[in-house]
Coordinates of all heavy atoms in Angstrom, one line a residue:
D1468 N 67.2 196.2 144.0 CA 67.7 195.1 144.8 C 67.9 195.4 146.3 O 68.3 196.5 146.6 CB 69.1 194.6 144.2 CG 69.0 193.9 142.9 OD1 67.9 193.4 142.6 OD2 70.0 194.0 142.1
L1469 N 67.6 194.5 147.1 CA 67.7 194.6 148.5 C 68.4 193.3 149.1 O 67.8 192.2 148.9 CB 66.4 194.8 149.2 CG 66.4 194.9 150.7 CD1 67.2 196.2 151.2 CD2 65.0 195.0 151.3
T1470 N 69.6 193.4 149.7 CA 70.3 192.2 150.1 C 70.6 192.3 151.6 O 71.0 193.3 152.1 CB 71.6 192.1 149.3 OG1 71.4 192.0 147.9 CG2 72.4 190.8 149.8
L1471 N 70.3 191.2 152.3 CA 70.7 191.1 153.8 C 70.8 189.7 154.2 O 70.4 188.8 153.5 CB 69.6 191.9 154.6 CG 68.2 191.3 154.7 CD1 67.5 191.9 156.0 CD2 67.4 191.6 153.5
R1472 N 71.5 189.5 155.4 CA 71.7 188.2 155.9 C 70.6 187.8 156.9 O 70.0 188.7 157.6 CB 73.1 188.1 156.6 CG 74.2 188.2 155.6 CD 75.6 188.1 156.4 NE 76.7 188.0 155.5 CZ 77.2 186.9 154.9 NH1 76.6 185.8 155.2 NH2 78.2 187.0 154.1
A1473 N 70.4 186.6 157.1 CA 69.4 186.1 158.1 C 69.9 186.6 159.5 O 71.1 186.5 159.8 CB 69.3 184.6 158.1
G1474 N 69.0 187.2 160.3 CA 69.4 187.7 161.6 C 69.9 189.1 161.5 O 70.2 189.8 162.5
G1475 N 70.1 189.6 160.3 CA 70.7 191.0 160.1 C 69.6 192.0 159.7 O 68.4 191.6 159.5
S1476 N 70.0 193.2 159.4 CA 69.1 194.2 159.0 C 69.9 195.2 158.1 O 71.1 195.2 158.1 CB 68.5 195.0 160.2 OG 69.5 195.6 160.9
V1477 N 69.1 196.0 157.3 CA 69.7 197.0 156.4 C 68.7 198.2 156.4 O 67.5 198.0 156.4 CB 69.9 196.4 155.0 CG1 68.6 196.0 154.4 CG2 70.6 197.4 154.1
A1478 N 69.3 199.4 156.4 CA 68.5 200.6 156.4 C 68.5 201.2 155.0 O 69.6 201.3 154.3 CB 69.1 201.6 157.4
V1479 N 67.4 201.5 154.5 CA 67.2 202.0 153.1 C 66.5 203.3 153.1 O 65.4 203.4 153.6 CB 66.4 201.0 152.2 CG1 66.3 201.5 150.8 CG2 67.1 199.6 152.3
P1480 N 67.1 204.4 152.5 CA 66.4 205.7 152.4 C 65.3 205.6 151.4 O 65.5 205.1 150.3 CB 67.5 206.7 152.1 CG 68.6 205.8 151.4 CD 68.5 204.5 152.0
F1481 N 64.2 206.2 151.7 CA 63.0 206.2 150.8 C 62.5 207.6 150.5 O 62.5 208.4 151.5 CB 61.8 205.4 151.3 CG 61.9 203.9 151.0 CD1 62.8 203.1 151.8 CD2 61.1 203.3 150.1 CE1 62.8 201.7 151.5 CE2 61.2 202.0 149.8 CZ 62.0 201.1 150.5
D1482 N 62.1 207.9 149.3 CA 61.4 209.1 149.0 C 60.0 208.7 148.6 O 59.8 208.0 147.6 CB 62.1 209.9 147.9 CG 63.4 210.5 148.4 OD1 63.5 210.9 149.6 OD2 64.3 210.7 147.5
F1483 N 59.0 209.2 149.3 CA 57.6 208.9 149.0 C 56.9 210.2 148.4 O 57.2 211.3 148.9 CB 56.8 208.5 150.3 CG 57.3 207.3 150.9 CD1 58.2 207.3 152.0 CD2 56.9 206.0 150.4 CE1 58.7 206.1 152.5 CE2 57.4 204.8 150.9 CZ 58.2 204.9 152.0
L1484 N 56.0 209.9 147.5 CA 55.2 211.0 146.9 C 53.7 210.7 147.3 O 53.4 209.5 147.4 CB 55.3 211.1 145.4 CG 56.7 211.4 144.8 CD1 56.7 211.3 143.3 CD2 57.2 212.8 145.3
Q1485 N 53.0 211.7 147.5 CA 51.6 211.6 147.9 C 50.7 211.9 146.7 O 50.9 212.8 145.9 CB 51.2 212.5 149.1 CG 52.0 212.0 150.3 CD 52.0 213.1 151.4 OE1 53.0 213.7 151.7 NE2 50.8 213.3 152.0
R1486 N 49.6 211.1 146.6 CA 48.6 211.3 145.5 C 47.3 211.8 146.1 O 46.9 211.3 147.2 CB 48.4 210.0 144.7 CG 49.7 209.5 144.0 CD 49.9 210.5 142.8 NE 51.1 210.1 142.0 CZ 52.3 210.6 142.2 NH1 52.5 211.5 143.1 NH2 53.3 210.2 141.4
G1487 N 46.6 212.7 145.4 CA 45.4 213.2 145.9 C 45.6 214.0 147.2 O 46.5 214.7 147.4
T1488 N 44.6 213.8 148.1 CA 44.6 214.5 149.4 C 45.1 213.6 150.5 O 44.7 213.9 151.7 CB 43.2 215.1 149.7 OG1 42.3 214.0 149.7 CG2 42.8 216.1 148.7
L1489 N 45.9 212.6 150.3 CA 46.4 211.7 151.3 C 47.3 212.5 152.3 O 48.1 213.3 151.9 CB 47.2 210.6 150.7 CG 47.7 209.6 151.8 CD1 47.4 208.1 151.3 CD2 49.2 209.8 152.0
S1490 N 47.0 212.3 153.6 CA 47.9 212.8 154.7 C 47.6 212.0 155.9 O 46.7 211.2 156.0 CB 47.6 214.3 155.0 OG 46.3 214.4 155.4
G1491 N 48.5 212.1 156.9 CA 48.3 211.4 158.2 C 49.0 210.0 158.2 O 50.0 209.8 157.4
S1492 N 48.6 209.1 159.0 CA 49.3 207.8 159.3 C 49.0 206.8 158.2 O 47.8 206.6 157.8 CB 48.9 207.3 160.6 OG 49.2 208.2 161.7
V1493 N 50.1 206.1 157.8 CA 50.0 205.1 156.8 C 50.8 203.9 157.2 O 52.0 204.1 157.6 CB 50.4 205.5 155.4 CG1 50.5 204.4 154.4 CG2 49.5 206.6 154.8
T1494 N 50.3 202.7 157.3 CA 51.0 201.6 157.7 C 51.7 200.9 156.5 O 51.3 201.1 155.4 CB 50.2 200.5 158.4 OG1 49.2 200.0 157.5 CG2 49.5 201.1 159.6
V1495 N 52.9 200.2 156.8 CA 53.6 199.5 155.7 C 53.9 198.1 156.2 O 54.3 197.9 157.4 CB 54.9 200.3 155.3 CG1 55.7 200.6 156.6 CG2 55.7 199.6 154.3
D1496 N 53.7 197.1 155.4 CA 54.1 195.8 155.7 C 54.6 195.0 154.5 O 54.4 195.5 153.4 CB 52.9 195.0 156.4 CG 51.7 195.0 155.5 OD1 51.8 194.5 154.3 OD2 50.6 195.5 155.9
T1497 N 55.2 193.8 154.7 CA 55.7 193.0 153.6 C 54.9 191.7 153.5 O 54.2 191.3 154.4 CB 57.2 192.7 153.8 OG1 57.3 191.6 154.7 CG2 57.9 193.9 154.3
N1498 N 55.1 191.1 152.3 CA 54.4 189.8 152.1 C 55.4 188.6 152.2 O 55.1 187.5 151.9 CB 53.8 189.8 150.7 CG 54.9 189.8 149.6 OD1 56.0 190.3 149.8 ND2 54.6 189.2 148.4
V1499 N 56.6 188.9 152.8 CA 57.6 187.8 152.9 C 57.7 187.4 154.4 O 58.1 188.2 155.2 CB 59.0 188.2 152.4 CG1 60.0 187.1 152.6 CG2 58.9 188.6 150.9
P1500 N 57.3 186.2 154.8 CA 57.5 185.8 156.1 C 58.9 185.9 156.6 O 59.9 185.5 155.9 CB 57.0 184.3 156.1 CG 56.1 184.2 154.9 CD 56.7 185.1 153.9
G1501 N 59.1 186.4 157.8 CA 60.5 186.5 158.4 C 61.1 187.9 158.2 O 62.1 188.2 158.7
I1502 N 60.5 188.7 157.3 CA 61.0 190.0 157.1 C 60.1 191.0 157.8 O 58.8 191.0 157.6 CB 61.0 190.4 155.6 CG1 62.0 189.4 154.8 CG2 61.4 191.8 155.3 CD1 63.4 189.6 155.2
T1503 N 60.6 191.9 158.6 CA 59.9 193.0 159.2 C 60.5 194.3 158.8 O 61.6 194.4 158.4 CB 60.0 192.9 160.8 OG1 61.4 192.9 161.2 CG2 59.3 191.6 161.3
V1504 N 59.6 195.3 158.8 CA 60.0 196.7 158.4 C 59.7 197.6 159.6 O 58.7 197.6 160.2 CB 59.3 197.1 157.1 CG1 57.8 197.1 157.3 CG2 59.7 198.5 156.7
T1505 N 60.7 198.5 159.8 CA 60.6 199.5 160.9 C 61.0 200.9 160.3 O 62.0 201.0 159.7 CB 61.6 199.1 162.1 OG1 61.3 197.8 162.5 CG2 61.4 200.1 163.2
P1506 N 60.2 201.9 160.6 CA 58.9 201.9 161.4 C 57.8 201.3 160.6 O 57.8 201.3 159.3 CB 58.7 203.3 161.7 CG 59.3 204.0 160.5 CD 60.5 203.3 160.2
G1507 N 56.8 200.7 161.2 CA 55.7 200.1 160.6 C 54.6 201.1 160.2 O 53.6 200.8 159.5
T1508 N 54.8 202.4 160.7 CA 53.8 203.5 160.4 C 54.6 204.7 159.9 O 55.5 205.1 160.6 CB 53.0 203.8 161.6 OG1 52.2 202.6 162.0 CG2 52.0 204.9 161.3
L1509 N 54.1 205.3 158.9 CA 54.6 206.5 158.3 C 53.6 207.6 158.5 O 52.4 207.4 158.4 CB 54.9 206.4 156.8 CG 55.9 205.2 156.4 CD1 55.9 205.1 154.9 CD2 57.2 205.4 157.0
T1510 N 54.1 208.8 158.8 CA 53.2 210.0 159.0 C 53.5 211.0 157.9 O 54.6 211.5 157.8 CB 53.4 210.6 160.3 OG1 53.1 209.6 161.3 CG2 52.4 211.8 160.5
F1511 N 52.5 211.2 157.0 CA 52.6 212.2 155.9 C 52.1 213.5 156.3 O 51.2 213.7 157.2 CB 51.9 211.6 154.7 CG 52.5 210.5 154.0 CD1 52.3 209.2 154.5 CD2 53.4 210.6 153.0 CE1 52.9 208.1 153.9 CE2 54.1 209.6 152.4 CZ 53.8 208.3 152.9

């Protein structure tokens, strides 16, 4: 679950695992209009 108010924001800690030989820059985006995620780029 992720809960927030319109006009507000919430910080969520994430742990990512890598598969295969992935490294370097990876972008992240959402499919819900009005929701943005920062940072939009992760560096593995």
Side-chain angles (χ1 to χ4, degrees):
D1468 288 335
L1469 178 65
T1470 300
L1471 68 161
R1472 290 181 177 275
S1476 61
V1477 61
V1479 181
F1481 275 77
D1482 288 330
F1483 295 100
L1484 299 176
Q1485 294 166 252
R1486 295 290 182 261
T1488 56
L1489 180 135
S1490 65
S1492 298
V1493 172
T1494 62
V1495 55
D1496 57 58
T1497 79
N1498 67 332
V1499 178
I1502 298 294
T1503 57
V1504 58
T1505 307
T1508 299
L1509 306 173
T1510 302
F1511 288 88

